[in-house]
Amino acid sequence: MDLFFENFNRLSSTPLNILQLKKLVLQLAIQGKLTAKWRLVNPEVENASLLMKRIKEDKLASYSTEGKNNIEKHIATIRQEEVSFEIPENWAWSRLGSICNKITDGFHNTPKKIKEGKIYISANNIREAGIRWSKCLFISQENHEELFRKAYPKRGEILITNRGAGCGTPAIIDIDEEFSFQNAALIGFNQNLINNKFIFFF
């Protein structure tokens, strides 16, 4: 690892190396190798298994009785053969559904656009650099209410395009105003327990 940092400038000297370097840094990060020394001097950091327990308790507190009976019912247990590398002992593997309290998509019908009204975006507005609100469209209050009820998007949650050339592109919602969307999935979670940048980069 020390050799990696010593040669960082050389490795990042060409565009091709930069692309490979990004992949390497990400791989080292998810294996916990970039934070090994930091963890040694910060042993008080909460164990991931305890955090997972708190996330589940938080989800249970927000669900109806019926929802509590179904929570994580259809989330498959992570099998050993799915684990491709070792992680630090105080980390934990998890499926996305286990840490999120909302995974849904937008409306599938296209509402009528108008010159002024409630904000409406599609996959074309979603970029990794952020959502292009300046390019948004507008729909009626009636159409908005129908679409908004399906997903209830809010600041800090993540939209992911699920149609077109940019399929899979994520963006963090950065406005408080209500809006509707199409051709995207929405991921919601307790932002006091989970950093949305972590989910975004994942």
Side-chain angles (χ1 to χ4, degrees), residues 37-65:
K37 290 182 178 178
W38 182 89
R39 291 195 308 275
L40 286 175
V41 296
N42 293 276
E44 75 285 355
V45 173
E46 182 179 26
N47 189 296
S49 61
L50 296 178
L51 175 61
M52 291 294 298
K53 182 179 179 182
R54 288 204 295 136
I55 291 172
K56 185 172 183 178
E57 289 172 350
D58 176 74
K59 289 170 67 175
L60 285 169
S62 63
Y63 276 61
S64 64
T65 301

Side-chain angles (χ1 to χ4, degrees), residues 102 147-155 157 159 173 175-181 186:
K102 177 169 53 178
L147 273 63
F148 186 75
R149 281 197 304 267
K150 188 176 189 298
Y152 295 98
K154 63 181 181 181
R155 177 186 283 273
E157 295 181 339
L159 287 174
I173 299 171
I175 64 170
D176 293 309
E177 188 174 351
E178 285 188 9
F179 69 94
S180 306
F181 63 93
L186 176 71

